Amino acid sequence: MSRQRKWVSETARRICSETGLSDPVEGAITLAESLTLEAKLDHPGQNLKALASYQGAKIQELAMDDAGRLIPIFQGDFDYLIQVNAEHPQPRKNFSVCHELGHTLMPNFLLAPAPRHDVVTMTWNTQFEEEFLCDVAAAELLMPRREFIPRLRGCGMLIESIKELAEEFGASLEATALNIVKANVEDVAVIIWEKDWNKSQRRGATGPSLFEGEDGFEPPPKAYRIKLATSCGELRNYHFPHNKSIQEDSLIYQAAETTLSVSGKQLLPIGGDSDREFYTQSMSFPIRRDGDLERRVFTIVQLKPHIQN
Ligand SMILES: [Zn+2]
């Protein structure tokens, strides 16, 4: 993706000139890597306070709407104050701290340090290049590739590895799953499924009382749909369309019913009305949304069956 992309921001341009690399994504990773190497920290996610203080930043947890904020202070022992949302789960706080540290690594930020307020972090939205590159840097700070890749090889490309590595590196399941694909050690895709309506059902369900009232109509049941899909290697030849649903007799639904992993060949949507069979491993994890406890399904997709070492 990054190689075909035309980068337009000053942030991207300056990262490339600072690092001598042509790809700002590689550049952002290199800047983050330099910080963890200089700070001599293994598993920085377990010791973010030390990583932050090495970069001259103090972390403060605060009740606020933003996920994270970076405030240049240049006072006393600290150059920056990083505020994170006290209500967020620890892995999310960790990522937000690393995202704000990411800002402090950006060469254009250093030229004119100004506050950054991030309503959300980990959006991976390439439209906002500085924010995207700070997410890239954050993933590297939290899960340095020199540690993450050997650990992933050790654990194997197994769905259980997502949870194991997430806990080890203090990252969320989602950030870890994305990092597994980014590590590019095997041709693989990761799909995250959540229960949702399609577009027109959502309009009906949230619009003016179409489904409620005297006529007894209920909103249609939600289906498991693709919320996020990312791939590397040969799996990049397949497009797993956002919000596309999957049949109730699929392994995805089976995984949603249990806490164990479910493996096997499974037809997956690949755009248009087409499906293709892939080797899959799926596992579901609880997620709280709008006060309700739901299950989110993670699927590792491969072209060949996984061979256990
Ligand atoms: Zn930001």
Side-chain angles (χ1 to χ4, degrees), residues 76-258:
D77 293 337
F78 293 100
D79 295 340
Y80 311 106
L81 180 63
I82 290 175
Q83 296 176 327
V84 281
N85 192 313
E87 306 277 301
H88 284 177
Q90 195 58 46
R92 239 182 116 181
K93 285 184 212 166
N94 291 351
F95 195 92
S96 295
V97 167
C98 289
H99 175 99
E100 303 308 335
L101 284 174
H103 279 295
T104 69
L105 296 169
M106 301 291 143
N108 61 320
F109 172 86
L110 292 170
L111 285 176
R116 297 286 193 275
H117 286 205
D118 292 299
V119 180
V120 277
T121 53
M122 214 171 86
T123 59
W124 304 103
N125 185 348
T126 48
Q127 276 186 310
F128 302 100
E129 292 185 1
E130 177 170 336
E131 297 309 321
F132 174 78
L133 292 164
C134 287
D135 281 343
V136 169
E140 175 62 25
L141 291 175
L142 207 48
M143 297 169 275
R145 56 186 170 184
R146 64 178 182 278
E147 293 177 31
F148 188 85
I149 292 175
R151 285 293 296 121
L152 173 60
R153 286 190 204 276
C155 295
M157 194 55 80
L158 293 167
I159 192 75
E160 288 84 356
S161 303
I162 297 179
K163 189 161 185 274
E164 195 174 329
L165 294 170
E167 282 169 5
E168 185 175 328
F169 286 89
S172 67
L173 295 166
E174 184 178 323
T176 308
L178 295 179
N179 222 45
I180 284 175
V181 174
K182 201 183 76 188
N184 205 12
V185 299
E186 277 179 42
D187 292 351
V188 71
V190 166
I191 300 178
I192 302 178
W193 311 80
E194 285 176 16
K195 275 207 157 174
D196 201 355
W197 290 300
N198 69 21
K199 236 182 190 174
S200 66
Q201 288 171 335
R202 192 181 303 123
R203 264 199 304 275
T206 55
S209 68
L210 189 65
F211 295 113
E212 48 183 315
E214 290 160 15
D215 48 15
F217 278 119
E218 295 264 323
K222 292 177 177 177
Y224 271 103
R225 296 177 184 279
I226 298 177
K227 286 296 137 185
L228 200 150
T230 177
S231 13
C232 68
E234 294 211 17
L235 265 301
R236 289 176 85 167
N237 298 329
Y238 302 96
H239 169 63
F240 303 105
H242 180 78
N243 224 38
K244 187 82 180 165
S245 63
I246 188 142
Q247 305 88 319
E248 287 186 28
D249 60 0
S250 62
L251 298 176
I252 310 308
Y253 274 80
Q254 259 188 48
E257 295 292 311
T258 163

